[in-house]
Structure formats: C-alpha cells, structure tokens
C-alpha cells in the first residue's frame, strides 16, 4: 500500500506520505513526518476507516491517537507524567461530554454510532500498539498511574465544559451546543441562587466571555445579581 497510496487532504491538511513497512515495524516510535503527534500510518488509518465521523469527532479520534503515541515517546519523569495525566483526563471528559449529550439530544449520536465510537478507542490503541515491544513499553508507562486521582475545582471544570472547542478540538458551533446541553442539565435541578453563586465565582476567575451561554437560563434580576 505504501507504494501506491496517494496522500489526501483532511480538514485542510495534506496527509503525510504512507510509510513503508520497515519504518513502521522496526522502530518504537515510527514516522511522524508532519509532527502532529500521531504516527503516520495510524493517522492515515483513522482518515480511511472512520469516514462517517464529523470534523469534531475526527479531532477527538486524533486526540486519542496522540495520547496513545505519547505512551511510547514520553519520558516517564514526573513532569511528563503529570502533563500526560492531565491530557488523558481532559480527553476522557471531552469524549464523555460529547457522546452523552449527543446520545440524548435531537441530533443524537444514535445508539449504533455511540457504540462504534466507544470501540474506536480500543481500535486506535491496538492499531498504534501493533508490535510486542510497543505494547510492553506502553503498559510500563501506563502502570505508573496506578492509584492516581484527578481533582479539579468546580470553576475549572465548568470552564472546560463551556470551552470544549479549546480543549477538545470541537468546532465552535458544536462546542456551544454541547455546553448548552450541559448547562440545561445543571439548571434542571438545584436552587437558582446556588447556580448564580457558582457562576459568580466562575466569572471572578475566568471573566464573562461565556455568559451568552448561560444567561438564557436566568431572568433579568438574576443577571443583575451576577453584575453586582
């Protein structure tokens, strides 16, 4: 295939040339000519095998592939482990928020597609770890996270929920739709004053750039409270 494959354009970017078998199989890292953090053969595999995914979903698939690749190339020092653990948990949040919201919304993922996307995580991992050495090295790296937790403040979690286009690679319009669904679920229960106090704390730390997303859930009096 590497002799006959013609690189294609995906989301405005040209694919790297298809690597030959020896490049892929006889090194741990393998080629990443376009330096996007995904091994070239895995990137081309995703582009060809998951054509039914939209742009936001493809980007999340790339994020998964990049995380898998990092387990092969990152140093296992504390500095790099913390960065990887942060990125890993953000990727989980992105996928969880997007898939659960889509599954229950009008333009839903659909049960079949939802299951397919869940299996995509496993498929990408196995495509990346396609040699015994890679599987061993990846497991050695991942074993360092046994018993690690992941805690973030409520304002930080809300910031990520409202800005998935920054953290997850979703297109802005898609990000806002997911954010509105998350907020709708939050405001469905609990006291309005509690939500207002939480948002006041949020705006104190992150500013008002996301207010257009949640002000539709409040009255003018509620908005005055936020402004004071």
């Amino acid at each position: 295939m590497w002799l006959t494959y013609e690189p294609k354009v995906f989301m405005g970017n040209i694919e790297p040339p298809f690597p030959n078998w020896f490049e892929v199989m006889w090194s741990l890292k393998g080629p990443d000519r376009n330096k996007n953090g995904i091994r070239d053969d895995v990137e081309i595999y995703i582009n060809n095998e998951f054509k039914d995914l939209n742009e936001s979903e493809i980007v999340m698939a790339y994020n998964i592939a990049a995380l898998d690749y990092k387990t092969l190339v990152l140093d296992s020092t504390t500095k790099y482990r913390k960065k990887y653990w942060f990125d890993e948990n953000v990727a989980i949040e992105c996928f969880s928020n997007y898939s659960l919201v889509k599954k229950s919304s009008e333009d839903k993922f659909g049960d079949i597609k939802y299951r397919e996307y869940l299996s995509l995580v496993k498929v990408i991992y196995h495509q990346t770890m396609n040699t015994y050495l890679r599987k061993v090295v990846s497991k050695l790296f991942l074993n360092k996270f046994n018993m690690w937790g992941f805690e973030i403040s409520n304002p930080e979690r809300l910031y990520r929920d409202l800005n998935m286009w920054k953290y997850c690679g979703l297109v802005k319009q898609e990000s806002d739709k997911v954010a509105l669904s998350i907020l709708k679920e939050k405001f469905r229960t609990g006291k309005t004053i509690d939500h207002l106090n939480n948002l006041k704390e949020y705006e104190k730390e992150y500013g008002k750039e996301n207010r257009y997303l949640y002000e539709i859930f409040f009255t003018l009096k509620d908005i005055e409270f936020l402004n004071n």
Side-chain angles (χ1 to χ4, degrees), residues 5-223:
Y5 188 81
E6 291 290 335
K8 301 174 183 139
V9 175
F10 280 86
M11 295 185 295
N13 298 311
I14 187 73
E15 286 180 328
F18 198 95
N20 67 55
W21 186 86
F22 295 99
E23 287 182 296
V24 173
M25 302 303 289
W26 290 99
S27 70
L28 178 64
K29 297 179 181 180
D32 176 22
R33 287 185 175 84
N34 57 1
K35 306 299 181 187
N36 65 349
I38 307 170
R39 202 172 69 230
D40 293 341
D41 63 304
V42 177
E43 179 179 347
I44 293 169
Y45 174 85
I46 291 171
N47 292 342
N48 281 275
E49 292 297 316
F50 302 106
K51 295 176 182 177
D52 60 324
L53 300 183
N54 64 37
E55 183 175 331
S56 293
E57 293 160 8
I58 281 286
V59 170
M60 285 192 286
Y62 285 165
N63 292 344
I64 293 167
L67 282 167
D68 289 342
Y69 190 67
K70 284 179 181 179
T71 67
L72 299 175
V73 301
L74 282 184
D75 191 297
S76 62
T77 58
T78 301
K79 172 186 173 183
Y80 290 107
R81 278 188 286 160
K82 286 183 176 179
K83 179 65 169 63
Y84 173 87
W85 192 237
F86 175 83
D87 291 343
E88 168 77 11
N89 281 275
V90 167
I92 291 171
E93 279 184 19
C94 292
F95 170 66
S96 177
N97 283 348
Y98 180 83
S99 60
L100 290 177
V101 167
K102 283 294 182 179
K103 191 177 179 184
S104 60
S105 65
E106 290 182 2
D107 55 345
K108 56 188 174 183
F109 234 168
D111 286 341
I112 294 176
K113 194 172 184 182
Y114 178 71
R115 289 196 297 270
E116 287 176 352
Y117 202 79
L118 286 175
S119 68
L120 178 147
V121 177
K122 295 180 181 178
V123 170
I124 292 175
Y125 180 82
H126 289 301
Q127 187 70 22
T128 306
M129 308 307 161
N130 58 347
T131 67
Y132 177 75
L133 177 60
R134 286 174 177 146
K135 289 176 183 175
V136 170
V137 171
S138 179
K139 285 180 180 178
L140 287 173
F141 182 87
L142 292 172
N143 283 343
K144 297 180 182 296
F145 299 102
N146 287 341
M147 307 302 291
W148 276 39
F150 189 73
E151 295 182 6
I152 60 174
S153 66
N154 286 331
E156 184 180 355
R157 182 175 296 281
L158 182 58
Y159 183 77
R160 293 220 289 266
D161 287 343
L162 301 185
N163 294 279
M164 289 180 67
W165 62 280
K166 292 182 179 180
Y167 286 88
C168 309
L170 272 64
V171 296
K172 186 68 165 61
Q173 184 179 10
E174 196 73 41
S175 174
D176 284 355
K177 285 166 66 176
V178 174
L180 286 169
S181 295
I182 291 171
L183 288 172
K184 183 178 180 180
E185 182 61 25
K186 285 181 183 294
F187 296 146
R188 191 174 62 83
T189 59
K191 297 179 180 179
T192 300
I193 188 62
D194 292 334
H195 292 309
L196 285 168
N197 283 324
N198 288 337
L199 287 170
K200 205 163 190 178
E201 181 185 2
Y202 169 81
E203 289 191 343
K204 188 183 298 183
E205 188 164 347
Y206 293 103
K208 301 178 181 179
E209 66 174 21
N210 296 124
R211 183 179 284 192
Y212 71 97
L213 290 169
Y214 47 78
E215 66 181 358
I216 63 174
F217 298 99
F218 296 130
T219 65
L220 289 175
K221 186 177 180 181
D222 295 332
I223 299 301

